[in-house]
Amino acid sequence: MARLGEHAVVLGAGMGGLLAARVLSTHYDRVTVVERDELPNQPEARKGVPQGRHVHGLLPRGKDLLEKFFPGLVSELVADGAVECDALQEVRFNLAGYQLKRIPTGYTALQASRPFLEHHVRRRVAALPGVVIRDGLDAAGLLHDSAAGRVIGVRVWDADHSTEEDLRAGLTVASMGRGSAVNTWLDGLGYGRPAEEGAEIDIVYSSAYVRLPEGALAGDKMITIGVRDMPPRALALFAVDGNRHILTLIGFGGERPPRDAEQFAEFVGTFAPRDVFDAIKNAEILSPVSTFRYKANKRRRYERMTDFPGGLLVTGDTLCSFSPVYGQGMTVAAIQMDVLRRCLARGDRHLARRFYRRVTSEIDNAWRLTVVADNAMPHVTADSVPDRVAALALDPMLAAAARDGIVAEKLFGVIGLVESPTALLHPKVTSRIGVANAFAQLDRSALAAARLVRSMRQ
């Protein structure tokens, strides 16, 4: 790989920042990762990743990219306790009353707690030649060469802000999360702020690690169940490392799932099947209950900025923060870094412009899925007519995926970000959606007729 410079800096040691360091390590002599938190030596949740205590998904494409960046990592993770899941064979995916048909698709997902996964990736990154992870440092601002219109590094300070240090770099990658200060820095330097878009969705999580009774929910390594009836509720139950499950209960639009584990089963019993209710009712609670609130999706359109400094890239959740319900965050971060890898292979000339142009289409795919699914919820108001139309089309697609294995496989490929949403518009797929819904209507008519006959006999 072509050498592009002596030193690069990454702000943030979350999954996005760690993957950025991996990509940069092939082009720069040294890479410094700056992290505000004191990083644990073991797989432990930390303050800077509050969502890390809740269910996380690594979609099939994300798993494949992790293996691409770190050959052998998936086998290492599984050997240490992570769970590989054959989708859709070992997945109970139930949304709005429709369960996707359970078939082997050839896709595999990787299930692990966020601290476990981040710990293993961080260990791999720390072992890379020239990479140093410095924790307990807070980024104070960008170093800027106004004459060249270029960021030339970052100023950092220690935990109590008593000591400052300038880290000069040929490239600074900011992967600091949704609440990053980088936009304030850009505005202060005269570049302005990127346009933003998104929607209020107001989601609240309550999560705990649990151990299910022996034999409970056998064959279900992943269960997701969501209802749109008011009040809308959902749950995710994933087998993860440590021979345990992580259970996340979800409330939407002002609905609050219980913070007391003793009330978990009562909440689940209002919308989940009996076997799921029984398993959770009789589960051993292994951890305190953690809560997390997510107010709105947010996407920042850096590709539309007319002026942007050289020597800087903004990535990760700062670029686009998705509803956590759909498990896209880590996979989209990996996709962004794969785009960066391809851009750097062509050098660093006009890097930001090329990166944002190429990453926009990738984010578009995941963003459209989130927008459509969120707009189908009763407490969310669609911003546009196309969004409302797309949300209305979701139920017929789910109904077809419940009956037709080909539609289910295609839909899961799109959800897993392996295929583009346009794959669902192929005539072969749309025709099967039409046929499946026609049969579903016949079933509903037959059921209604049977109920009528029974009532007349009574």
Side-chain angles (χ1 to χ4, degrees):
M1 290 290 181
R3 178 187 181 277
L4 299 178
E6 178 186 347
H7 188 213
V9 169
V10 178
L11 304 179
M15 287 296 293
L18 293 173
L19 297 181
R22 166 65 185 88
V23 170
L24 294 173
S25 68
T26 63
H27 295 280
Y28 291 83
D29 298 336
R30 296 183 296 117
V31 178
T32 302
V33 181
V34 175
E35 170 55 48
R36 180 174 55 187
D37 284 352
E38 297 285 345
L39 295 172
N41 293 322
Q42 300 297 323
E44 298 174 4
R46 57 188 179 90
K47 181 179 178 181
V49 189
Q51 72 275 27
R53 295 174 173 84
H54 306 272
V55 71
H56 270 68
L58 188 62
L59 301 176
R61 189 174 176 191
K63 185 206 72 170
D64 292 345
L65 285 172
L66 273 191
E67 182 67 16
K68 180 178 180 178
F69 291 137
F70 305 102
L73 177 62
V74 171
S75 296
E76 175 187 313
L77 290 165
V78 172
D80 282 355
V83 176
E84 279 195 296
C85 180
D86 182 358
L88 291 161
Q89 190 69 44
E90 297 176 309
V91 174
R92 193 188 308 194
F93 191 105
N94 192 307
L95 180 62
Y98 303 103
Q99 182 174 309
L100 269 61
K101 191 173 182 66
R102 298 184 71 147
I103 56 167
T105 62
Y107 298 122
T108 57
L110 186 70
Q111 297 172 195
S113 64
R114 171 66 180 263
F116 175 93
L117 183 59
E118 191 174 289
H119 170 76
H120 281 75
V121 173
R122 186 166 64 241
R123 189 167 60 185
R124 283 287 193 109
V125 170
L128 292 170
V131 175
V132 174
I133 300 176
R134 298 183 59 184
D135 58 355
L137 292 180
D138 202 359
L142 300 172
L143 303 176
H144 183 244
D145 182 341
S146 56
R150 186 174 184 85
V151 169
I152 56 173
V154 62
R155 177 164 293 136
V156 299
W157 47 34
D158 59 11
D160 59 6
H161 292 188
S162 61
T163 304
E164 289 187 351
E165 180 183 355
D166 288 351
L167 300 177
R168 295 187 174 270
L171 178 63
T172 300
V173 176
S175 185
M176 302 164 64
R178 178 185 174 91
S180 168
V182 69
N183 297 306
T184 300
W185 298 340
L186 285 171
D187 198 24
L189 293 173
Y191 293 98
R193 294 172 177 263
E196 295 183 356
E197 58 188 58
E200 292 280 341
I201 54 176
D202 197 10
I203 299 173
V204 178
Y205 276 14
S206 288
S207 299
Y209 290 100
V210 303
R211 182 161 289 122
L212 301 184
E214 187 72 26
L217 305 177
D220 289 324
K221 292 183 178 178
M222 178 194 301
I223 297 176
T224 61
I225 300 170
V227 297
R228 297 200 205 108
D229 301 331
M230 294 299 288
R233 295 175 172 183
L235 71 80
L237 182 65
F238 286 17
V240 295
D241 46 283
N243 191 30
R244 56 191 177 160
H245 285 69
I246 184 167
L247 170 64
T248 293
L249 305 182
I250 308 168
F252 298 84
E255 170 76 4
R256 298 292 181 266
R259 296 187 177 186
D260 185 343
E262 293 183 357
Q263 299 173 6
F264 272 16
E266 180 182 349
F267 181 88
V268 170
T270 63
F271 66 97
R274 181 73 195 192
D275 63 334
V276 176
F277 167 76
D278 286 341
I280 292 172
K281 180 180 180 181
N282 296 303
E284 177 188 359
I285 307 299
L286 303 175
S287 71
V289 176
S290 299
T291 61
F292 176 67
R293 187 175 187 181
Y294 185 92
K295 291 286 290 182
N297 295 321
K298 184 169 289 187
R299 182 176 183 182
R300 296 182 173 98
R301 308 304 298 246
Y302 290 94
E303 79 278 9
R304 297 177 183 172
M305 293 182 70
T306 57
D307 193 14
F308 194 84
L312 175 69
L313 289 178
V314 182
T315 66
D317 282 356
T318 314
L319 182 58
C320 190
S321 177
F322 296 92
S323 167
V325 170
Y326 312 117
Q328 299 171 313
M330 292 192 295
T331 296
V332 171
I335 291 171
Q336 290 181 33
M337 291 307 103
D338 194 44
V339 171
L340 178 59
R341 177 191 62 80
R342 285 179 273 139
C343 288
L344 289 174
R346 296 176 52 199
D348 59 358
R349 182 175 173 81
H350 303 306
L351 177 61
R353 185 173 66 191
R354 291 187 290 115
F355 172 75
Y356 291 126
R357 183 176 66 244
R358 295 188 69 166
V359 83
T360 293
S361 60
E362 294 281 6
I363 292 176
D364 282 345
N365 290 338
W367 183 254
R368 293 305 306 164
L369 291 174
T370 295
V371 168
V372 169
D374 284 341
N375 284 337
M377 299 299 292
H379 69 289
V380 177
T381 301
D383 291 332
S384 67
V385 172
D387 287 343
R388 289 194 290 271
V389 171
L392 290 173
L394 182 60
D395 274 12
M397 192 175 301
L398 291 172
R403 302 178 67 97
D404 188 308
I406 291 178
V407 177
E409 179 180 355
K410 191 64 66 174
L411 178 59
F412 191 81
V414 172
I415 292 171
L417 301 181
V418 176
E419 297 202 53
S420 165
T422 57
L424 295 169
L425 302 178
H426 191 280
K428 179 181 177 181
V429 178
T430 56
S431 63
R432 299 185 76 95
I433 292 173
V435 170
N437 276 272
F439 277 108
Q441 182 58 48
L442 288 174
D443 288 347
R444 287 191 292 268
S445 298
L447 181 59
R451 288 173 176 169
L452 177 61
V453 168
R454 283 197 300 269
S455 66
M456 292 175 66
R457 288 174 176 173
Q458 294 171 356

